[in-house]
Amino acid sequence: MSSVNITGTGMYIPAQIVTNEDMKRFVDTSDEWIVQRTGIRERHFSQGEPNWYMGVQAAKQAVGNAGVDPKEIDVIISCSITPDYFYPTIACTVQDELGADNAFCWNMEAACSGFIYALDVARSYLAVGSAKTVLIVCSENMSKSLDFTDRSTCVLFGDGAAAAVVQKGDGLYASCMGSDGRTGAALLARALPLDTPFATEKDDPKYAKYMEANDPYLKMNGRAVYRFTAHAIPNMVTGACERAGIQVEDLDLIVPHQANLRIIETAAERLHVPMEKMYVNIDRYANTSCASVPICLAELVADGRLKRGDKIALAGFGGGLTCGAVVFEW
Ligand code: COA
């Protein structure tokens, strides 16, 4: 079967650590509440490193670890919901900084599910032969989209970037993706408003899709997202395993999006998988959106915890709402 071979990973985490105790400077919260409800103990916030810079550092590390010449890269896909610019995309900036002159570069957006969706797209390019080497770069400055007066959201997220070089593999591969636009209002952030001298009907109620998004900060209905995710990971992982022709118990490791430890524990229970098979680093980084799954991969590789042939599932969920899982042999 045409699969993926992740030949290099890299990550960049801003040096500045912000503990739960530090967050008490901004909102009425406690280390106990945050740890009990989410598993988060600390996160890293940028001291000024912009999104593109973090992405470039992660990409350079991934390309170096893969041992490929940047000129061999055919496609760069970036994912981000917190870019510095709408355009040029981070992918194009990474191309410039790496000298990946032969790549075509574009940005895809599936919020926290970004890496999972991008890996599936990369696999398609590799399977049809339109690319031999794909670089995926996920970079998030979540801190700039946080309202530091809203305790229900600002404690949950962190900054970070990660990248992966993806080439064609031969083992099993399957994906299972799903989106539910009906629940879009549960997690949203506004883009530029249509506020010009010509937009005289901009306040017409028929255009009021997500009225609560009246400022640029991330808004979330935590319970609605929780309800969605409690089913999303188990359903997507089970679906991908079925398509791959394996049982969930055959998986050596599941790498879930790091949004909440309780969500990961619930997923493990529903999948009848021991927690030792669920990779967790949310305590150190909080939710870094689309960077979370590739940060986990970069750590796993650096720690030598993945062996060729291991069957792994990557699972994500996020704004949209979107969710998805891919299953493949490392
Ligand atoms: N510190 C202290 N108290 C807080 C708090 C904080 N940081 N944030 C919220 N609270 C309070 C609330 O105000 C509420 O108080 P009240 O009962 O007096 O009104 C109480 O804690 C319970 O709030 P609730 O929202 O019901 O908590 P919860 O158990 O649902 O946990 C989340 C909240 C956000 C942790 C949880 O809903 C969640 O993780 N949802 C999924 C979010 C997610 O994964 N998002 C990213 C998707 S990519």
Side-chain angles (χ1 to χ4, degrees):
M1 193 185 291
S2 172
S3 182
V4 290
N5 184 9
I6 297 183
T7 52
T9 53
M11 62 191 265
Y12 178 87
I13 306 291
Q16 179 169 238
I17 296 174
V18 178
T19 64
N20 291 343
E21 209 56 33
D22 295 331
M23 293 304 287
K24 285 165 67 176
R25 279 170 42 214
F26 310 103
V27 284
D28 179 15
T29 189
S30 66
D31 179 58
E32 193 192 5
W33 191 97
I34 301 171
V35 172
Q36 273 181 8
R37 304 281 177 128
T38 71
I40 297 165
R41 293 184 182 276
E42 59 191 36
R43 73 285 294 140
H44 293 243
F45 282 151
S46 167
Q47 265 180 295
E49 303 102 311
N51 191 313
W52 72 263
Y53 179 87
M54 299 198 305
V56 166
Q57 306 313 310
K60 281 184 176 165
Q61 205 182 84
V63 170
N65 287 339
V68 299
D69 181 332
K71 303 228 173 344
E72 288 172 46
I73 300 169
D74 303 303
V75 190
I76 302 176
I77 304 173
S78 58
C79 305
S80 186
I81 51 172
T82 53
D84 309 300
Y85 310 96
F86 287 137
Y87 42 86
T89 63
I90 303 160
C92 287
T93 309
V94 167
Q95 175 191 31
D96 176 35
E97 293 285 326
L98 264 63
D101 303 339
N102 298 315
F104 66 93
C105 310
W106 58 287
N107 193 68
M108 61 172 283
E109 205 270 87
C112 302
S113 310
F115 183 76
I116 311 297
Y117 283 39
L119 187 61
D120 203 43
V121 170
R123 189 256 183 170
S124 303
Y125 282 135
L126 297 165
V128 299
S130 53
K132 288 200 166 76
T133 303
V134 182
L135 172 63
I136 302 173
V137 185
C138 298
S139 186
E140 298 287 18
N141 271 146
M142 293 305 291
S143 56
K144 71 180 176 185
S145 72
L146 298 178
D147 175 353
F148 283 94
T149 65
D150 177 5
R151 66 179 180 173
S152 67
T153 52
C154 73
V155 301
L156 302 178
F157 296 88
D159 295 340
V165 174
V166 189
Q167 295 177 313
K168 198 171 173 188
D170 287 326
L172 61 85
Y173 179 94
S175 63
C176 184
M177 308 289 181
S179 303
D180 183 0
R182 292 168 304 178
T183 51
L187 190 52
L188 57 91
R190 205 203 62 189
L192 283 180
L194 180 62
D195 192 11
T196 73
F198 306 99
T200 51
E201 293 173 14
K202 67 182 167 59
D203 295 324
D204 188 320
K206 76 170 181 272
Y207 301 132
K209 179 71 177 159
Y210 301 124
M211 279 306 280
E212 56 274 65
N214 58 0
D215 65 42
Y217 298 119
L218 179 152
K219 301 272 177 245
M220 187 178 71
N221 177 339
R223 286 192 178 177
V225 177
Y226 200 100
R227 274 196 300 277
F228 175 82
T229 58
H231 299 284
I233 297 183
N235 289 351
M236 295 300 117
V237 171
T238 307
C241 283
E242 275 170 18
R243 289 176 189 180
I246 62 167
Q247 305 294 317
V248 172
E249 67 203 43
D250 297 332
L251 291 170
D252 295 293
L253 190 68
I254 299 177
V255 182
H257 171 46
Q258 308 286 310
N260 186 319
L261 180 59
R262 288 191 301 161
I263 291 173
I264 297 172
E265 288 170 346
T266 304
E269 246 170 62
R270 293 191 172 166
L271 289 165
H272 306 292
V273 161
M275 272 304 282
E276 301 79 70
K277 283 195 179 182
M278 308 291 285
Y279 190 69
V280 175
N281 64 12
I282 189 171
D283 49 321
R284 289 174 284 133
Y285 304 124
N287 181 346
T288 55
S289 183
C290 69
S292 94
V293 168
I295 287 174
C296 293
L297 286 182
E299 282 195 338
L300 283 160
V301 171
D303 292 348
R305 279 193 52 192
L306 287 171
K307 297 186 298 298
R308 288 288 159 204
D310 278 356
K311 293 182 182 63
I312 69 168
L314 312 181
F317 55 85
L321 297 175
T322 56
C323 58
V326 292
V327 165
F328 61 101
E329 276 166 322
W330 186 257

